[in-house]
Amino acid sequence: MKKVKIHDKTFQLFIPYEKIRASIELMAEKMNKDLADKNPLFICVLNGSFMFAAELFKRIDLINSEISFVKLASYAGEHTTGNVKQLIGLNEKIEGRTVVVLEDIVDSGITIDNIQDQLKKLKPKEVSVATLLLKPDALIKEVELDYVGLEIPNDFIVGYGLDYDGYGRNLIDIYSVVNE
Ligand code: 5GP
Ligand code: MG
């Protein structure tokens, strides 16, 4: 079994690239039908989703489609108790658009729920969510996911854009942590 060591942890091969690619191809096929004539705006949530977004977007054969990139910035607001995550980097007009959020992984669902709330305030025509990976057992928020690549167990993973403390994003396959 192929293994990699990142910082203090060992990871073993979990999802080979071919399987990731096949799930993205299926997703793109479905989107090409669903989004035809909708002039969709894809929004890639950085950093983790960059590889998934690239793989997906080159398979979208709708010429009238756009992609943009956002990040979530955490800040301690003056009037907030905890950390509020604000969407930054969005320059496109969202009002009246069909928006498709591209996420690497949905775990508790808190991040995607927060992103959806912020986008809805900008009055899009519709927002759908595509996630490459979903941990169904970790979900605590009720989120509606329109496209799910692969469901995985509740283990920590790296690779294909996902990191462990900055490292591991360049791995073409997905690895899961070995509990030692
Ligand atoms: P949620 O808000 O759904 O709990 O978490 C979503 C975010 O947590 C993801 O976008 C991702 O950045 C991070 N995350 C969740 N699970 C994993 C994992 O197994 N590995 C890595 N590298 N990041 C994860
Ligand atoms: Mg993410």
Side-chain angles (χ1 to χ4, degrees):
M1 182 63 83
K2 216 159 126 188
K3 287 188 178 170
V4 288
K5 189 148 198 292
I6 303 175
H7 300 298
D8 57 332
K9 292 190 195 306
T10 305
F11 294 83
Q12 65 186 14
L13 182 62
F14 176 46
I15 312 172
Y17 171 65
E18 290 67 32
K19 192 170 169 186
I20 301 169
R21 195 190 54 204
S23 78
I24 296 173
E25 280 168 356
L26 280 177
M27 207 184 278
E29 239 175 75
K30 189 160 190 301
M31 286 177 175
N32 283 325
K33 290 189 190 119
D34 294 352
L35 303 169
D37 305 320
K38 289 196 164 184
N39 185 26
L41 171 62
F42 291 89
I43 296 181
C44 167
V45 184
L46 295 171
N47 293 329
S49 307
F50 76 98
M51 228 179 254
F52 163 50
E55 192 97 64
L56 178 81
F57 196 54
K58 63 189 167 187
R59 293 180 170 82
I60 296 297
D61 58 21
L62 313 168
I63 287 300
N64 296 327
S65 61
E66 293 175 77
I67 189 164
S68 190
F69 301 83
V70 295
K71 265 198 173 202
L72 284 175
S74 301
Y75 68 95
E78 222 178 304
H79 305 287
T80 55
T81 45
N83 271 4
V84 177
K85 289 198 159 184
Q86 192 199 354
L87 216 51
I88 55 168
L90 198 58
N91 300 315
E92 286 72 13
K93 189 169 152 273
I94 299 298
E95 195 174 336
R97 297 288 308 261
T98 293
V99 173
V100 185
V101 180
L102 304 179
E103 253 290 29
D104 48 0
I105 184 164
V106 173
D107 188 37
S108 67
I110 291 172
T111 304
I112 203 69
D113 185 62
N114 187 293
I115 291 171
Q116 273 180 315
D117 277 357
Q118 292 190 51
L119 285 173
K120 278 175 186 162
K121 287 185 186 135
L122 303 173
K123 302 193 170 67
K125 185 175 170 206
E126 53 192 336
V127 179
S128 56
V129 177
T131 185
L132 175 61
L133 302 161
L134 169 66
K135 293 180 181 172
D137 299 336
L139 266 183
I140 56 170
K141 281 273 176 190
E142 248 182 64
V143 286
E144 206 180 301
L145 302 170
D146 303 86
Y147 306 92
V148 175
L150 298 162
E151 293 193 357
I152 61 167
N154 209 353
D155 298 319
F156 186 71
I157 55 148
V158 293
Y160 204 76
L162 289 128
D163 72 310
Y164 171 41
D165 224 354
Y167 293 166
R169 295 193 197 276
N170 51 329
L171 295 165
I172 190 164
D173 306 301
I174 289 173
Y175 288 72
S176 73
V177 74
V178 178
N179 295 308
E180 284 157 333

